[in-house]
Amino acid sequence: MSHIHLPDGVIPVFWWVVGYVLTAAMLGLAISRTNSTEARRKVPLLGIIAAVMLIGQSIPLGFIPFHLGLAVLAGIILGPWLGFMAAFISNMFLALIGHGGITVVGLNTVVVGSEVIIGYLLYNIFRRATVEHILPVILATALTLIITIAFMIGVVAIAQVNPALVLMGEDAGAIKDSVVVDSPVALSLRRFVTIIVPVAAIGIAIEAFATGLIVRFILGVRPEIVGAPARERER
Amino acid sequence: MDIAFIDNLAYNRDSVMHRASAVSKVLMVALVIAAVVISTEVVVFIMALAFLLMAFLISNLPVLRILPFAGYALVFSLVFAVSSTGGGITPLVIMLKAVTAAVAMLLLITTTPYPQIFALGRKIFPTILIDAMLVTYRSFFILMEQVERVIIALRMRGAYSPLRVAGNLNIMGKVIGHGFIHAWELSENMQNAMLIRGYRGGMPVSATRKYSIKYSLLPVLLGASVLVVAVFA
């Protein structure tokens, strides 16, 4: 749900290149951490979970202009590394239909991929603290979304600042005439946050409870999908 | 989002743009996006949109049904445009940048089947990612059809109402949960089928039609013209 719906040409070149470099590094790490036999075996699951993420993003929830992201659930089911790959695939598909620019795919993958990884880690921490399954899912999803939305706002904010100033502080003045890295837009962050935060608050609540409800249904039918022992089926 | 509709246009229509190679159309999009990134002149975007609309018109495509897809980009660019406080770029330019890039992308995907685009990605991305994208593309339609059937059944029973957000959430939880289980079982079947057929990584993608170099010049020229105007405007 923290997907950045920014079009092409708005984020300065420097920052979307950084997004792609970080994504490439994370994908490289994800692939190296998944051995080739396991990867080949999990290609169908990876592709299909990415498709389910896309479907979740296709179904509007009534009059609220909001759709599910399902990144935390993908992390719980696939684990952090395959989940990161699923985030990249779903972002690439979304960009191909103009739902967020193609230049923003890198930054989007970093943000949604963090949602997958943080969600997976928090879920496992909360799971150890309780025998309950639904509450850890709701808590992990809500907390993850708060962190990643703050991260997304941070990305938008930082991308509006001249990168030379971020990197070199006062010394940037000396190079600003020779380096074409000026931000194309001076953004009012306060205004941006004012628009985003109320929608995000509703979105976090919806996504957290929806993820809990999805996991509750899965636990009742195929608990092993979310890593629960088969005895859960008897509850 | 209607990937099935877009896919149908890419596969079943025939035109000059459909006969151009996937590489030439990806290059066109790259050149248009380069122009979008470097330019802040309204005239450049208007000219680029005019070129792209002309390409749509000669592509035997339902332009009025396709262009609303660019609305995604327009709506989200509006949030950004409203937040803009100047800085040498107007809200109109922000919106034009978004729409121009989205229209170029729509021209690519409505004239090129997704697998052809992914096949090009094989030169850049690892095999596992491209294979997974092909599985995503294939399973999206299977799962979407199933979800649509469930939603129709729910609506017929009065279980889905736009004003009942909590009720919708509960039902959507069950629908998506059911979808996840179906997806899991589908992936198990697909995995077994792939192993039996000797999958060792790298799914083959065959071209659906014969591409012509003659037609491939058109999208390259279109993209190059937009970039040249953006550079010199």
Side-chain angles (χ1 to χ4, degrees), chain A residues 119-158:
Chain A
Y120 168 83
L121 294 173
L122 287 178
Y123 172 71
N124 282 301
I125 290 168
F126 294 146
R127 268 283 287 121
R128 276 186 223 119
T130 171
V131 289
E132 176 63 41
H133 274 283
I134 314 297
L135 193 61
V137 172
I138 294 174
L139 285 177
T141 309
L143 202 53
T144 301
L145 291 176
I146 291 169
I147 295 168
T148 53
I149 286 170
F151 180 38
M152 183 261 276
I153 291 171
V155 167
V156 172
I158 208 168

Side-chain angles (χ1 to χ4, degrees), chain A residues 5-6 10 58 84 100 105 205 227:
Chain A
H5 294 94
L6 287 180
V10 172
S58 315
F84 192 90
V105 168

Side-chain angles (χ1 to χ4, degrees), chain A residues 20-21 46 52 71 107 123 126 132 137 140 157 161 180 191 200 218-220 230 232:
Chain A
Y20 269 112
V21 170
L46 169 60
V52 176
L107 284 171
Y123 172 71
F126 294 146
E132 176 63 41
V137 172
V161 180
V180 188
R191 215 182 299 172
I218 294 173
L219 280 170
E232 286 289 341

Side-chain angles (χ1 to χ4, degrees), chain A residues 5-10 13 16 27 31 39-52 54-64 68 70 73-74 77 82 85 88-89 92-99 102-103 156 160 183-188 191-192 195-196 206 209-210 213-214 216-218 221-222 224-225, chain B residues 1 3 6 33 36-37 69 72-73 76-77 79-80 82-89 94 97-98 101-102 105-106 108-109 114 117-118 125-126 128-129 131-133 135-137 139-140 143-144 147 151 160 162-163 165 168-170 172-174 176-181 183-188 190-191 194 199-201 203:
Chain A
H5 294 94
L6 287 180
D8 290 309
V10 172
V13 178
W16 61 255
L27 284 174
I31 288 165
R40 277 202 299 270
R41 200 166 56 79
K42 291 209 167 158
V43 160
L45 182 62
L46 169 60
I48 287 174
I49 296 296
V52 176
L54 276 172
I55 290 168
Q57 289 157 355
S58 315
I59 303 171
L61 292 171
F63 64 90
I64 295 174
L68 298 175
L70 302 175
L73 191 53
I77 292 175
L82 285 174
M85 291 185 216
F88 171 74
I89 293 168
M92 190 54 99
F93 266 87
L94 288 173
L96 283 174
I97 55 162
H99 198 89
I102 193 87
T103 52
V156 172
Q160 299 316 305
S183 164
V185 185
L187 182 87
S188 159
R191 215 182 299 172
F192 184 75
I195 296 167
I196 292 294
I206 292 177
F209 281 104
L213 290 167
I214 294 167
R216 186 175 72 172
F217 184 85
I218 294 173
V221 186
R222 293 282 301 266
E224 67 275 19
I225 294 177
Chain B
M1 186 193 315
I3 293 180
I6 289 169
I33 288 177
V36 163
V37 168
F69 286 106
Y72 280 124
F76 291 113
S77 68
V79 175
F80 214 74
V82 166
S83 312
S84 160
T85 56
I89 189 166
I94 295 174
K97 275 172 177 269
M105 197 62 83
L106 284 171
L108 167 70
I109 60 170
Y114 278 97
I117 302 171
F118 299 147
F125 299 113
I128 180 176
L129 281 179
D131 286 355
M133 280 183 191
V135 173
T136 303
Y137 165 78
S139 50
F140 178 86
L143 295 171
M144 198 65 197
V147 168
I151 289 175
Y160 186 90
L163 295 173
V165 176
N168 288 349
L169 255 184
N170 189 19
M172 276 303 126
K174 288 176 180 163
I176 298 175
H178 183 256
F180 258 103
I181 290 164
W184 182 273
E185 286 165 355
L186 186 66
S187 80
E188 285 175 336
M190 204 179 274
Q191 184 187 321
M194 284 162 71
Y199 173 74
R200 291 281 178 274
M203 291 181 188

